Amino acid sequence: MDDTSEARIASHRKFFAHLITANAGIRPGSEIEAAFASIPRENFVAPPPWKMFTPVGYIETESGDPAFLYQDVVVSLGSDAPLNNGQPSLHAMCLNALEIKKDEHILHIGAGTGYYTTILAMLTGESGSVEAYEIEPQLAQRAAANLALFPNARVHSRSGTIVPLPLCDVIYVNAGATEPLAVWLDALQPQGRLLFPITAASGGGMMLLVTKPSETEPDQQTYAARFLMPVAFVPCVGARNDAIAKRLSKAFQNRSWTKVKSLRRNHAPDRSCWFAGDGWWLSTN
């Protein structure tokens, strides 16, 4: 058998999918695991040798063996900007938290070359849809090519921070914002979920999961909200405010973020306020 044979790489991919989803706390045999096991990661990153991100910079693989990619590592997309295919276990945890159902309509903002967009398309199924937004034209072009076999997915070569955005059930943002943009919250259907990295001036921050109330709830401006885990992302163009970023740096210095339970819009902050932005605030109630 050839060292880079399809069967051998498929075996690596299958174990990789099982391992990262187990590390993410996902039950064996999940649809998320199946999606990771079926997608050739080598089609979505730079040509080999691959560059893997570490705290001390990128390191190169010793060869073009795709087996190197089936680890829980961050891999360069090969663009001029330092953009990467993110850590698989982190995205597995995020996808699990979103609880994506068949037939749902999903927006993926900061799609890169479409690796995680492909997983979203598989999770929502043929009767669902994914609208992917990527501001870097070359990456958007690669994403469109990678998603050509998925008729339920479409790539937009533009920002996902401006109108119009279609109504949807899920918004998954893969670039760091300093606030939950009104355009994102307004695009959510009742019980829709927004998951995005809210990040400080350093690029570090937290994944924030926001759930829109149902139409039957009396207060339509109070959303369930909770932080999931610490993260670091590149900035989301169009979703940054320098003053808020600096204040977030201070807010994240302690673990009180674990107490956040809701996002309020157009309410005056009260004593339960954990952090306040412009027209929105996070509450511990």
Side-chain angles (χ1 to χ4, degrees), residues 15 28 33 44 100 123 132 135 145 152 184-185 189 201 237 260 267:
F15 179 75
E33 180 181 341
F44 295 83
I100 294 167
L123 293 177
I135 199 171
N152 63 335
W184 296 341
L185 296 173
Q189 301 271 26
V237 177
V260 169
H267 289 269

Side-chain angles (χ1 to χ4, degrees), residues 137-283:
Q138 291 182 341
L139 297 185
Q141 185 176 17
R142 290 170 62 186
N146 286 327
L147 287 156
L149 297 178
F150 291 85
N152 63 335
R154 182 169 57 167
V155 178
H156 304 270
S157 183
R158 73 167 180 90
S159 172
T161 67
I162 56 177
V163 293
L165 291 180
L167 292 176
C168 62
D169 301 294
V170 172
I171 301 176
Y172 186 35
V173 183
N174 288 167
T178 53
E179 57 191 313
L181 297 182
V183 66
W184 296 341
L185 296 173
D186 293 341
L188 291 176
Q189 301 271 26
Q191 292 299 301
R193 289 89 69 204
L194 163 66
L195 181 57
F196 76 104
I198 183 166
T199 57
S202 64
M206 304 289 300
M207 289 302 291
L208 180 63
L209 177 63
V210 178
T211 303
K212 190 168 186 174
S214 68
E215 291 179 327
T216 60
E217 294 181 48
D219 185 356
Q220 294 294 304
Q221 299 299 316
T222 297
Y223 300 62
R226 62 187 175 94
F227 287 116
L228 300 186
M229 76 285 281
V231 293
F233 275 85
V234 297
C236 183
V237 177
R240 304 294 301 175
N241 179 297
D242 290 343
I244 293 178
K246 291 178 181 177
R247 291 199 291 116
L248 281 168
S249 296
K250 295 181 179 179
F252 287 135
Q253 287 177 359
N254 60 63
R255 291 190 57 83
S256 63
W257 51 266
T258 59
K259 300 178 181 179
V260 169
K261 295 180 180 178
S262 66
L263 166 71
R264 312 289 179 92
R265 298 180 74 187
N266 304 318
H267 289 269
D270 61 24
R271 295 181 64 183
S272 71
C273 179
W274 181 82
F275 188 88
D278 184 11
W280 64 274
W281 53 286
L282 296 171
S283 170

